[in-house]
Amino acid sequence: MSFVEYGDTIKDGDTAIVFLGHESMFPVKVQHGTVTQTKYGVIRHSTDLIGKKYGSKVTCSKGGWVFILHPTPELWTMNLPHRTQILYSTDISIITMMLELKPGSIVCESGTGSGSLSHAVIRTVAPTGHLYTVEFHQQRAEKAREEFREHGVEHLVTVTNQDVCKNGFGVSNIADAVFLDIPSPWEAIGHAKSALKAEGGRICSFSPCIEQVQRTCLAMEEYGFTEINTLEILLRVYNVRTISLQTPDLGKAAEDNSSTAFDSSNPSNQGSPCANLQQGTVQFKSGVPLREMVGHTGYLTFATKS
């Protein structure tokens, strides 16, 4: 199992996603002799998981069932253990695009945090690229190394435990892109410039406060970065549902015409949209935005090394 290479069957030691529903799933480490409790009953790893194909429908001890999915960066973002605040798919998607990441890219990142963005970057730059990620907190850095090893991507990432604002990324003039998610990104702009390739490298800074953005933009200008721009991504989800509306009263003439044009007793008309007309109402599908939506997460500031 690897987060960048898909396998067919579940093996001992794999990380798998137990899917109970769109709003209910969790990761599990597959091990011989281990059981996992769910609301539908027990899943026995030795008999129910190991050797089965990913995507299989597994029946639990109480008769309910779940799907066992192959892990992906998207699923991991939704289910990972939170050691810090994380980036979600909405911001991650624009970051990977605006930094122009592709297979073979060299990327520097700070800080590693819970590894949400890290997994997405690794999948994007594989199989020949590399991620150099710096984490200030020692225990978080060690946990990130352990997860990368368990997920089969340790050959694509180097985790360093140090202060990026003082010591930089540990590499020079090789990175195609740099990402900063730290409290004072303006203090690391100089090190980011040193890590980037000679010309054309891209940088992105994620900050929740506009005051951080202002200081970071000033530092970018000072170090000669160009094409500086800041944006904010807001996700608005639409809910598709069936609604009923009353049909308008267009008068007796219109009623006569409609009865002539459509006869609900005629078998050839069964199943048509007009067959749903009951007691002066019509049903149709409508998309409406949710009453609540995810608000501000952070500002993304992008720039190019001149």
Side-chain angles (χ1 to χ4, degrees):
M1 184 277 303
S2 171
F3 272 56
V4 297
E5 297 175 358
Y6 292 90
D8 290 331
T9 58
I10 305 170
K11 300 181 177 62
D12 186 25
D14 282 4
T15 297
I17 304 297
V18 180
F19 181 89
L20 293 83
H22 288 291
E23 302 297 330
S24 180
M25 64 185 90
F26 60 88
V28 63
K29 184 173 181 179
V30 180
Q31 293 178 312
H32 270 294
T34 302
V35 297
T36 296
Q37 295 282 350
T38 75
K39 63 182 180 181
Y40 301 125
V42 172
I43 301 173
R44 295 174 176 83
H45 293 200
S46 299
T47 57
D48 297 334
L49 298 185
I50 297 176
K52 298 288 183 64
K53 286 190 174 184
Y54 278 107
S56 296
K57 183 178 179 179
V58 173
T59 303
C60 305
S61 61
K62 292 182 180 179
W65 49 266
V66 298
F67 287 108
I68 308 299
L69 305 181
H70 195 289
T72 65
E74 292 82 6
L75 291 175
W76 186 245
T77 291
M78 298 170 63
N79 296 281
L80 58 78
H82 286 229
R83 299 183 289 272
T84 60
Q85 290 289 335
I86 70 168
L87 290 174
Y88 290 93
S89 298
T90 307
D91 288 317
I92 291 173
S93 60
I94 196 70
I95 290 169
T96 55
M97 184 189 74
M98 295 293 287
L99 289 182
E100 302 173 5
L101 303 186
K102 59 186 182 299
S105 294
I106 306 298
V107 183
C108 292
E109 174 196 32
S110 182
T112 311
S114 301
S116 175
L117 176 67
S118 304
H119 282 82
V121 169
I122 290 170
R123 200 255 313 263
T124 303
V125 305
T128 56
H130 201 83
L131 172 66
Y132 295 89
T133 182
V134 178
E135 173 56 52
F136 176 78
H137 194 276
Q138 182 178 358
Q139 290 181 335
R140 288 200 293 263
E142 292 173 353
K143 185 61 178 177
R145 289 194 193 97
E146 179 184 343
E147 284 182 350
F148 293 142
R149 183 170 58 254
E150 291 178 352
H151 298 166
V153 296
E154 71 276 9
H155 62 292
L156 297 169
V157 57
T158 300
V159 182
T160 305
N161 172 220
Q162 64 186 29
D163 185 351
V164 70
C165 296
K166 295 181 179 179
N167 303 313
F169 293 93
V171 296
S172 300
N173 302 320
I174 65 169
D176 297 289
V178 170
F179 177 78
L180 299 174
D181 183 6
I182 55 178
S184 52
W186 56 89
E187 296 181 1
I189 298 300
H191 294 297
K193 183 178 181 180
S194 299
L196 286 168
K197 59 187 181 182
E199 186 177 356
R202 296 279 287 167
I203 183 174
C204 174
S205 174
F206 177 90
S207 298
C209 301
I210 196 64
E211 292 81 6
Q212 294 170 302
V213 173
Q214 291 171 331
R215 296 189 64 174
T216 302
C217 289
L218 291 174
M220 288 178 175
E221 289 182 344
E222 180 182 347
Y223 281 95
F225 283 90
T226 60
E227 300 178 341
I228 302 171
N229 64 88
T230 299
L231 49 87
E232 178 185 26
I233 308 299
L234 298 177
L235 179 64
R236 190 180 190 188
V237 178
Y238 275 75
N239 182 29
V240 178
R241 61 182 183 179
T242 301
I243 64 174
S244 298
L245 291 179
Q246 289 186 343
T247 54
D249 182 4
L250 301 178
K252 188 174 186 307
E255 183 178 340
D256 293 340
N257 291 335
S258 66
S259 63
T260 302
F262 176 79
D263 181 4
S264 61
S265 63
N266 188 343
S268 63
N269 288 328
Q270 296 297 322
S272 68
C274 295
N276 292 326
L277 290 172
Q278 294 181 0
Q279 298 180 350
T281 63
V282 62
Q283 291 186 335
F284 63 94
K285 297 290 185 181
S286 175
V288 294
L290 301 180
R291 293 184 178 181
E292 296 181 357
M293 62 178 283
V294 178
H296 171 75
T297 56
Y299 300 103
L300 293 168
T301 301
F302 296 92
T304 303
K305 183 176 179 180
S306 177

